[in-house]
């Protein structure tokens, strides 16, 4: 047996479902932040736009 | 614990220590079967009461001292929503070397008994981590919460099968 922790919370069905919800929230936040990051501008495209103008 | 324990009258539970352990367990399990919160009892190999705990809506908290009493003991508790073992139940039995873990689900009791060769804690941890990663990867793709929760609910049953754990379903 491992070293005993100070306490151990045996999750109820509700607690277990809530813990899962928190993990899913964290994934959504992580994915959301990736999606919200502005796309990097490409120098080449900028140059072409200037020429066209 | 994130929320406060819900009142449940432990003093109202009758414990007949003249009964052999299996009958004492059944007697306690009948009395906690309809409790609206999780209630847990830990008995030693000769039937002595080691721990009794009422949980909150989200967890039953065991102290370090209580955990030190668990090797070789039997823990029984009720599942108010009448569900099967959770992954957390399986982990508790493995990590603290219980002899038996019982979960009362309505009119039935699920009994998980320690294998002759002992618990394969590393095997269970690896299985649960790998399966959880799969669930999370799938969720990252489809964002389907009900599907992810359903897979999590089925995880313990899948682990029992994968690790060939010994679970009996007994009528209360």
């Amino acid at each position: 047996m491992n070293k005993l922790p100070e306490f151990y919370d045996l999750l109820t069905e509700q607690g277990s479902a809530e813990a899962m919800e928190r993990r899913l929230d964290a994934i959504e936040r992580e994915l959301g932040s990736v999606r919200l990051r502005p796309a990097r501008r490409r120098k080449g495209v900028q140059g072409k736009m200037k020429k066209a103008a | 614990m994130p929320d406060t324990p819900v009142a449940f009258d432990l003093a109202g539970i009758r414990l007949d220590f003249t009964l052999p352990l299996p009958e004492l367990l059944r007697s306690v399990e009948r009395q906690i079967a309809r409790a609206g919160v999780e209630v847990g009892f830990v008995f030693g190999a000769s039937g002595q009461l080691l721990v009794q705990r009422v949980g909150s809506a989200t967890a039953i908290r065991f102290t370090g001292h209580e955990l030190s009493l668990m090797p070789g003991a039997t823990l029984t508790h009720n599942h108010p929503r009448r569900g099967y073992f959770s992954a957390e139940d399986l982990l508790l039995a493995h990590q603290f070397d219980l002899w038996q873990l019982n979960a009362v689900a309505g009119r039935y009791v699920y009994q998980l008994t320690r294998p002759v060769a002992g618990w394969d804690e590393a095997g269970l941890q690896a299985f649960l981590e790998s399966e959880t990663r799969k669930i999370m990867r799938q969720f990252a793709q489809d964002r389907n919460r009900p599907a992810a929760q359903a897979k999590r609910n089925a995880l313990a049953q899948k682990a029992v099968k994968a690790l060939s754990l010994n679970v009996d379903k007994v009528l209360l």
Side-chain angles (χ1 to χ4, degrees):
Chain A
M1 191 166 53
N2 298 334
K3 194 182 165 209
L4 289 173
E6 216 174 297
F7 61 83
Y8 185 100
D9 285 338
L10 178 62
L11 297 179
T12 63
E13 292 148 300
Q14 183 186 330
S16 178
E18 286 178 6
M20 181 67 171
E21 284 296 319
R22 283 194 292 275
R23 293 185 74 170
L24 299 178
D25 285 344
I27 290 176
E28 283 205 318
R29 268 199 305 276
E30 200 179 309
L31 294 171
S33 68
V34 169
R35 215 189 299 134
L36 292 174
R37 197 177 296 156
R40 219 186 261 173
R41 278 187 167 179
R42 284 164 53 192
K43 281 182 184 172
V45 175
Q46 238 179 342
K48 279 177 193 170
M49 283 169 73
K50 275 183 186 172
K51 271 184 186 177
Chain B
M1 219 170 343
D3 51 353
T4 49
V6 180
F8 177 88
D9 187 15
L10 273 176
I13 300 283
R14 278 190 303 109
L15 296 167
D16 183 353
F17 292 109
T18 62
L19 296 172
L21 181 56
E23 286 175 38
L24 175 59
L25 284 166
R26 286 303 86 74
S27 155
V28 170
E29 286 160 352
R30 282 189 199 106
Q31 295 176 72
I32 63 173
R34 290 183 183 176
V37 291
E38 277 195 3
V39 184
F41 283 81
V42 182
F43 293 97
S46 48
Q48 72 277 31
L49 178 66
L50 299 175
V51 179
Q52 51 181 345
R53 277 259 169 243
V54 178
S56 68
T58 56
I60 299 181
R61 172 165 287 186
F62 294 107
T63 65
H65 171 68
E66 289 166 346
L67 296 168
S68 74
L69 303 172
M70 291 197 185
T74 296
L75 186 157
T76 187
H77 68 306
N78 63 313
H79 282 176
R81 293 187 195 174
R82 303 177 178 197
Y84 187 68
F85 287 119
S86 65
E88 290 83 4
D89 286 334
L90 302 186
L91 275 170
L92 181 89
H94 283 66
Q95 286 180 339
F96 303 109
D97 197 23
L98 285 169
W99 160 248
Q100 195 173 73
L101 174 68
N102 294 0
V104 184
R107 295 172 55 223
Y108 294 94
V109 183
Y110 294 106
Q111 299 177 326
L112 170 71
T113 308
R114 183 165 63 193
V116 177
W119 303 110
D120 177 8
E121 187 188 340
L124 177 69
Q125 289 271 14
F127 180 83
L128 293 176
E129 281 168 22
S130 151
E131 290 297 315
T132 303
R133 270 198 302 273
K134 280 186 209 166
I135 296 172
M136 297 305 177
R137 266 203 302 272
Q138 185 61 43
F139 176 73
Q141 285 175 8
D142 61 20
R143 310 282 181 104
N144 187 337
R145 273 176 188 259
Q149 284 286 15
K151 283 179 194 159
R152 181 198 61 87
N153 289 339
L155 205 52
Q157 223 150 0
K158 217 172 165 182
V160 163
K161 203 170 174 187
L163 277 78
S164 302
L165 291 171
N166 179 20
V167 174
D168 294 313
K169 187 179 179 182
V170 179
L171 188 65
L172 201 54

